Amino acid sequence: ALSNAARASRIASTGRPHASNRIDFDGSVFDVVTPDSAYWLGFIFADGHVSQHFIRIGLAKKDRQHLVKVADFVKMKPTRIDVLGKVGERVSVCLPSRQMASLLRDRYGLVERKTWCAVAPTELAESRDFWRGYVDGDGTISPPKAKAGGAGLSVRRAELGVIGHSGSCLVTQFAEFMHRNGIGQNIAVKERRGLKNGARGADYSERIYHYFR
């Protein structure tokens, strides 16, 4: 059922929602783990923010269409996407719901400062859909590509990489998931300078590319 207390939010510089025109959305979409809910939970682990009062997902302006998909998933009526920043370089969807925020914190471990301590819960840690959402949020997938070399054309193998923080377990969990499922035997977690406390997991096989697409 559509939540009857959900209201649209305009995100100010504080990141707190401010009531505006009324909207409705389905506040129960994460009550049961399904392929779709697992995917969006993975995406929120990567690009979402959960407070006591709301859930916010923010992306670069060029990725606006993905927020439209979020709005469709939660049955938002009307669809509302907020523009952030002075020049509108970022966009976000905000779901003001104490009940949903509490569920994401208490059941799934999506705490407010998740960057440093996020851990995929048991019911999601073996879900390909969850990790697909996580990769779509914090990862890059490059298909095989022909390139010119000294001996003519060669084919660059497919590559998958995810970026996280060294204080987070998610990148390591992702690598372990791939190892257990026999998909990313060459995947490795590495510290890399130039990224803020960055960690990278990468695999150069076409198989891993098609596994997530």
Side-chain angles (χ1 to χ4, degrees):
L2 293 176
S3 63
N4 56 14
R7 293 184 179 278
S9 303
R10 189 177 302 277
I11 309 302
S13 59
T14 59
R16 294 293 299 273
H18 293 267
S20 182
N21 298 326
R22 182 183 176 86
I23 62 168
D24 286 304
F25 62 90
D26 186 348
S28 67
V29 291
F30 296 117
D31 289 357
V32 177
V33 175
T34 66
D36 285 343
S37 68
Y39 171 86
W40 288 114
L41 283 167
F43 198 84
I44 293 171
F45 263 86
D47 280 328
H49 170 77
V50 179
S51 78
Q52 291 185 351
H53 310 284
F54 65 93
I55 298 95
R56 175 165 53 88
I57 304 172
L59 299 174
K61 184 179 180 180
K62 65 182 179 63
D63 296 321
R64 182 182 187 278
Q65 192 58 35
H66 216 64
L67 293 184
V68 174
K69 295 178 181 179
V70 175
D72 288 345
F73 171 67
V74 300
K75 304 180 180 67
M76 181 182 285
K77 297 180 181 180
T79 297
R80 176 158 184 165
I81 296 176
D82 295 301
V83 177
L84 308 179
K86 294 182 180 179
V87 295
E89 68 274 11
R90 291 188 62 78
V91 289
S92 78
V93 160
C94 185
L95 305 174
S97 170
R98 287 176 179 266
Q99 182 176 351
M100 182 184 285
S102 178
L103 175 71
L104 266 58
R105 286 195 312 273
D106 298 342
R107 178 174 172 180
Y108 300 114
L110 271 161
V111 295
E112 190 163 354
R113 292 178 175 82
K114 63 180 175 58
T115 299
W116 305 106
C117 58
V119 177
T122 302
E123 62 183 313
L124 295 173
E126 294 301 320
S127 167
R128 182 178 74 165
D129 297 297
F130 171 79
W131 291 116
R132 187 165 58 88
Y134 175 65
V135 168
D136 278 357
D138 268 349
T140 57
I141 298 180
S142 303
K145 183 179 180 180
K147 63 178 181 179
L153 287 178
S154 62
V155 177
R156 186 192 70 189
R157 290 174 291 179
E159 177 180 346
L160 182 148
V162 290
I163 303 298
H165 289 268
S166 58
S168 171
C169 296
L170 280 172
V171 173
T172 301
Q173 279 188 290
F174 171 72
E176 292 172 348
F177 168 79
M178 301 306 288
H179 290 158
R180 284 194 300 272
N181 287 275
I183 302 298
Q185 297 303 320
N186 297 325
I187 206 165
V189 177
K190 302 177 181 178
E191 297 290 337
R192 194 176 76 171
R193 293 182 180 179
L195 299 171
K196 185 178 180 183
N197 294 318
R200 177 178 172 83
D203 183 275
Y204 297 90
S205 72
E206 189 170 355
R207 186 180 179 191
I208 195 173
Y209 170 75
H210 290 292
Y211 182 74
F212 278 104
R213 305 318 297 172

